[in-house]
Amino acid sequence: MSSAGNSGGQMGLLPEGLSDRLPPQAEASARLARDVIDCVSAHGYQRVMPPLAEFEETLTGRLKSARAQDLLRAVDPVSQRTLALRPDMTAQVGRIAATRLASAARPLRLCYSGPVLKLRANQLRPEREQLQVGAELIGSDSVVAATEIVSVAIEALQAAGVSGITVDFTLPDLIDELAADALPLGVDEIEAVRAELDSKDAGGLAELGSAAAAYLPLIEATGPFHAAMERLEAIDAGGVLASRIAALRAIAKPIGWDITLTLDPTERHSFAYQSWFGFSIFAEGFIGEIGRGGSYTIIHPDGREEPATGFSLYPDPLIDAGFGRTDERRIFLPLHADAERAKALRADGWRTVAALSAGDDGAALGCSHWLDGDTPRAY
Amino acid sequence: MSSAGNSGGQMGLLPEGLSDRLPPQAEASARLARDVIDCVSAHGYQRVMPPLAEFEETLTGRLKSARAQDLLRAVDPVSQRTLALRPDMTAQVGRIAATRLASAARPLRLCYSGPVLKLRANQLRPEREQLQVGAELIGSDSVVAATEIVSVAIEALQAAGVSGITVDFTLPDLIDELAADALPLGVDEIEAVRAELDSKDAGGLAELGSAAAAYLPLIEATGPFHAAMERLEAIDAGGVLASRIAALRAIAKPIGWDITLTLDPTERHSFAYQSWFGFSIFAEGFIGEIGRGGSYTIIHPDGREEPATGFSLYPDPLIDAGFGRTDERRIFLPLHADAERAKALRADGWRTVAALSAGDDGAALGCSHWLDGDTPRAY
């Protein structure tokens, strides 16, 4: 079994969806996570490290029941209880905010970076272990909070060198809000309307009757942000819709011209705890979202609900596609090379590779240069 | 359940030995790992990221059978096989070197940083999830390789700010080598002699008979390096011992005066695959080792054995004891603060905390300063 060159691990050696990341992708992945964390830290987000595994009830307590099926479980002989590997860190950060940091001042800014493990891969991503890096702003889901979160997410990705970013805004609870008031729907109709909106099926929506047909303009209010917003504004639904429109415009305002903004007002995210605002992040040349975020609600142990806003990035697709590989300056040090000179080269950003024996081959070891006395020479 | 202030998690909320790391310890932990990785990377070690879980057989195949009992297992519905959470990353890196990187040029330098999960805690450390950071030099277990590994381990810890470092050398296979030749022992005597040497019980050793009593001087050859080495040299055991002594002196030679060197020639490490040289690392003020390393053997899928040398650090005890907390400069930005000024402050190393509403309290949010127009002012 020699070097296979595939990034998905060797067939049969590792479980499906669990793989080794090799050089140079492993370093690119670590560097991207570091750049994101450095950026959000500069905006005051403080790092937390929740554990890899928790009691199953603790992890699922704050999540919709469907998500419990998505957990990889282990029986813990110490506690005699079932543990689950975390499939997501946002819920863990919410738990920390609601328990050990319940009395910390709000708004509370926390960030995190680490692996998460899913029971099953999805169609777009064969990996079950994924890197998640994110930031949560706990205590507010205001327009100002959402504006900060979107801005910081974009700035963090740009700091890591990601370009061609698209941000797609959504309004997760819009249908519920409209159905309750301006464009009334029966409880049983809501899910049918949602399904037709998900598939953007205008004909199917019209067939559901006149109440459902009132939602037809939402299908058109999708696409490039400003044009879609104008179509959204043309819908006469008063209060809720008007306030959502004003909020989206406020969040969009500080976003630079180099970001592509789109709107998909009825797009549903899979997180059950999301509230009025959501967004997905895409990068040019990569299939599938590389991040998402929005407003949501944290449930405290005493039942109290607390608003929060945050984002998570899942940068693995970028890394797999070759993002972030830089040319490292790697220099071979022959036997008995001057230690002080080598130290100076490292301080100057070189990576030194010392010979262990006279037979070591610097070029084969990936070095572009070798140290000839005091002088780096190209191979 | 309010902020409890204990670092071990809240009783009952998280499984024993699995806890949340909060600010500022989480950041201190990440910074230490980063400093270590940066240092070993500068010495040419390239990063790999093995998965959190593997098939149980793959993880245990290279380990002594006793270690298989130390695994936290999960049943994987996808593969219908038993997975185990990694209790250690060294064996995973060995697997990578023996499979996907089998044809990469040697010596192969790899490094890693990530969480490992043990089934049970040990007496010194209640944590079952631990951070492991390390570097492996694959293809050599020569004196030159050992010298590089020990030097890089020390340099990495010092780069991370650790002082008061003690390195304790050991010779894991010394008893076997002596028993086979210069100081012969029966196969059944070896384990008894080892046990008495482990407990430094001279009386017990003498009682085992004259063959065993020949090992008495090894008990004395323990402690501060140079004095212990002189006592080791006084043992007349010829070839193997003389070459080991010369090797230890060569490894010790470049180590700075600021490191305390000790010798415990018969200390056994728990890793089955260790060969002629081992070392443990301690830091002043912390109970228990914070790292270990040495030479070992990697078994390739075709049965071929390959020598290797490496080290792993387990820095959690340092973090728990308060190591690495720095004073961050944290400044509060009132509503409508100048965005460009805030950006300049971040570029200058400040962490900015933006007001979301007029009621936000910068001092309560941990800021030492607030931005008054263009000027940072202390609270």
Side-chain angles (χ1 to χ4, degrees):
Chain A
M1 290 196 276
S2 62
S3 178
N6 68 335
S7 65
Q10 285 187 307
M11 194 67 73
L13 188 63
L14 290 174
E16 196 182 321
L18 296 169
S19 60
D20 297 312
R21 217 182 259 295
L22 303 185
Q25 288 93 336
E27 181 166 332
S29 173
R31 194 184 310 122
L32 195 156
R34 175 189 291 203
D35 290 343
V36 168
I37 288 290
D38 282 350
C39 179
V40 302
S41 297
H43 285 274
Y45 291 78
Q46 294 183 295
R47 186 138 181 179
V48 290
M49 292 181 173
L52 283 177
E54 297 195 14
F55 290 128
E56 187 183 350
E57 317 86 81
T58 325
L59 270 182
T60 57
R62 279 159 229 278
L63 300 173
K64 215 183 208 170
S65 58
R67 301 262 298 168
Q69 297 166 16
D70 198 33
L71 296 174
L72 190 64
R73 294 179 178 76
V75 173
D76 178 19
V78 174
S79 62
Q80 300 277 335
R81 287 168 70 183
T82 302
L83 303 187
L85 279 296
R86 63 182 181 211
D88 164 64
M89 292 174 81
T90 306
Q92 292 187 304
V93 174
R95 174 183 55 68
I96 290 173
T99 55
R100 288 181 63 195
L101 296 180
S103 56
R106 262 47 174 180
L108 176 64
R109 288 173 173 85
L110 301 175
C111 66
Y112 52 91
S113 173
V116 297
L117 209 52
K118 296 182 190 292
L119 181 60
R120 290 188 175 79
N122 66 39
Q123 289 169 318
L124 284 175
R125 292 291 302 161
E127 303 306 322
R128 295 197 281 165
E129 178 176 334
Q130 292 172 16
L131 172 64
Q132 182 180 5
V133 190
E136 310 295 331
L137 180 43
I138 292 141
S140 178
D141 64 355
S142 70
V143 172
V144 180
T147 304
E148 173 169 319
I149 283 293
V150 171
S151 300
V152 171
I154 292 170
E155 185 181 328
L157 280 168
Q158 290 182 327
V162 179
S163 59
I165 296 171
T166 290
V167 179
D168 186 38
F169 286 169
T170 181
L171 294 167
D173 71 356
L174 182 64
I175 307 299
D176 288 331
E177 294 288 332
L178 291 177
D181 184 26
L183 305 177
L185 288 177
V187 175
D188 51 335
E189 288 174 300
I190 292 179
E191 199 46 43
V193 166
R194 280 192 177 285
E196 300 301 341
L197 288 169
D198 282 351
S199 56
K200 310 267 185 278
D201 184 348
L205 193 59
E207 283 172 22
L208 293 175
S210 61
Y215 287 81
L216 276 167
L218 284 176
I219 293 183
E220 295 301 313
T222 296
F225 185 72
H226 294 288
M229 284 292 281
E230 282 176 19
R231 290 193 289 271
L232 195 61
E233 282 172 327
I235 301 172
D236 182 16
V240 167
L241 187 55
S243 81
R244 296 285 194 271
I245 287 170
L248 289 183
R249 287 214 183 277
I251 297 168
K253 195 175 175 197
I255 296 177
W257 56 269
D258 51 338
I259 304 299
T260 302
L261 271 187
T262 59
L263 178 67
D264 191 349
T266 64
E267 163 69 16
R268 294 192 267 183
H269 280 182
S270 61
F271 291 110
Y273 46 85
Q274 213 149 38
S275 57
W276 71 272
F277 172 66
F279 63 100
S280 296
I281 304 175
F282 303 86
E284 201 167 38
F286 302 101
I287 294 169
E289 64 180 27
I290 57 167
R292 59 164 56 176
S295 61
Y296 59 96
T297 302
I298 292 172
I299 316 288
H300 283 247
D302 60 7
R304 182 167 61 91
E305 298 193 351
E306 180 171 29
T309 314
F311 74 88
S312 287
L313 304 176
Y314 301 90
D316 289 335
L318 299 178
I319 302 302
D320 290 344
F323 173 83
R325 297 189 206 170
T326 55
D327 290 328
E328 50 172 271
R329 290 187 301 160
R330 201 168 161 88
I331 186 167
F332 183 68
L333 306 176
L335 285 174
H336 313 300
D338 180 47
E340 287 305 313
R341 179 71 179 122
K343 190 175 172 181
L345 286 169
R346 286 191 293 273
D348 193 33
W350 286 87
R351 301 192 173 187
T352 61
V353 177
L356 298 182
S357 71
D360 289 0
D361 179 347
L365 291 169
C367 297
S368 58
H369 291 71
W370 62 285
L371 188 61
D372 179 11
D374 241 20
T375 312
R377 301 211 185 274
Y379 272 110
Chain B
M1 291 196 273
S2 63
S3 178
N6 68 333
S7 66
Q10 284 187 309
M11 193 69 72
L13 188 63
L14 289 174
E16 196 181 322
L18 295 169
S19 61
D20 297 312
R21 216 182 259 297
L22 302 186
Q25 289 94 336
E27 181 166 333
S29 173
R31 196 182 309 121
L32 195 156
R34 175 188 291 203
D35 290 344
V36 169
I37 288 291
D38 281 349
C39 179
V40 301
S41 296
H43 285 274
Y45 292 78
Q46 295 182 294
R47 185 136 182 184
V48 290
M49 293 181 172
L52 283 176
E54 297 194 15
F55 291 128
E56 186 182 353
E57 316 88 80
T58 326
L59 271 180
T60 57
R62 280 158 228 277
L63 301 172
K64 218 184 207 167
S65 60
R67 301 260 300 167
Q69 298 167 16
D70 198 32
L71 296 175
L72 190 64
R73 292 179 181 77
V75 173
D76 178 19
V78 174
S79 63
Q80 300 279 333
R81 287 167 70 183
T82 302
L83 303 187
L85 279 296
R86 63 182 182 211
D88 163 62
M89 291 173 81
T90 306
Q92 292 187 303
V93 175
R95 175 184 54 69
I96 290 173
T99 54
R100 287 182 62 196
L101 296 180
S103 56
R106 265 46 176 177
L108 176 64
R109 289 171 171 87
L110 300 175
C111 66
Y112 52 90
S113 173
V116 297
L117 209 52
K118 297 181 190 292
L119 182 61
R120 292 188 175 78
N122 65 40
Q123 289 169 318
L124 283 174
R125 292 289 304 159
E127 303 304 324
R128 296 197 281 165
E129 178 176 334
Q130 293 173 15
L131 173 63
Q132 181 180 6
V133 191
E136 309 296 332
L137 180 42
I138 292 141
S140 178
D141 64 355
S142 70
V143 172
V144 180
T147 304
E148 173 170 318
I149 282 294
V150 171
S151 300
V152 171
I154 291 169
E155 186 182 327
L157 280 167
Q158 290 182 327
V162 179
S163 59
I165 296 170
T166 290
V167 179
D168 187 38
F169 286 169
T170 180
L171 294 166
D173 72 356
L174 183 64
I175 307 300
D176 287 332
E177 294 289 332
L178 291 176
D181 184 27
L183 305 177
L185 287 177
V187 175
D188 52 333
E189 288 174 302
I190 292 179
E191 199 43 46
V193 166
R194 281 193 176 283
E196 301 300 342
L197 288 169
D198 282 350
S199 56
K200 310 269 184 276
D201 183 349
L205 192 58
E207 283 172 23
L208 293 175
S210 61
Y215 287 83
L216 276 167
L218 284 176
I219 293 182
E220 296 301 313
T222 296
F225 185 73
H226 295 288
M229 285 292 282
E230 283 176 18
R231 290 193 289 272
L232 194 61
E233 282 172 326
I235 301 172
D236 182 15
V240 167
L241 186 56
S243 80
R244 295 287 194 269
I245 287 169
L248 290 183
R249 287 216 184 276
I251 297 167
K253 196 175 174 193
I255 296 176
W257 57 267
D258 51 338
I259 305 297
T260 303
L261 271 187
T262 59
L263 178 67
D264 191 349
T266 65
E267 163 69 16
R268 290 193 269 184
H269 280 183
S270 61
F271 293 109
Y273 47 86
Q274 213 148 40
S275 58
W276 70 272
F277 172 64
F279 62 100
S280 297
I281 303 174
F282 303 86
E284 201 167 39
F286 304 100
I287 295 169
E289 63 180 27
I290 57 165
R292 60 166 52 177
S295 61
Y296 59 97
T297 301
I298 293 171
I299 316 288
H300 283 247
D302 61 5
R304 182 166 61 90
E305 298 194 349
E306 180 171 29
T309 314
F311 74 89
S312 288
L313 304 176
Y314 301 89
D316 289 334
L318 299 176
I319 302 301
D320 290 344
F323 172 83
R325 296 189 209 173
T326 56
D327 290 328
E328 50 173 270
R329 291 186 300 159
R330 201 168 161 88
I331 186 166
F332 182 68
L333 306 177
L335 285 175
H336 313 299
D338 180 46
E340 287 305 312
R341 180 73 179 121
K343 191 174 173 183
L345 286 168
R346 286 191 294 274
D348 193 35
W350 286 88
R351 299 190 176 188
T352 61
V353 178
L356 297 183
S357 70
D360 289 2
D361 179 346
L365 292 169
C367 297
S368 58
H369 291 71
W370 61 283
L371 188 61
D372 180 9
D374 241 22
T375 313
R377 303 214 183 273
Y379 274 108

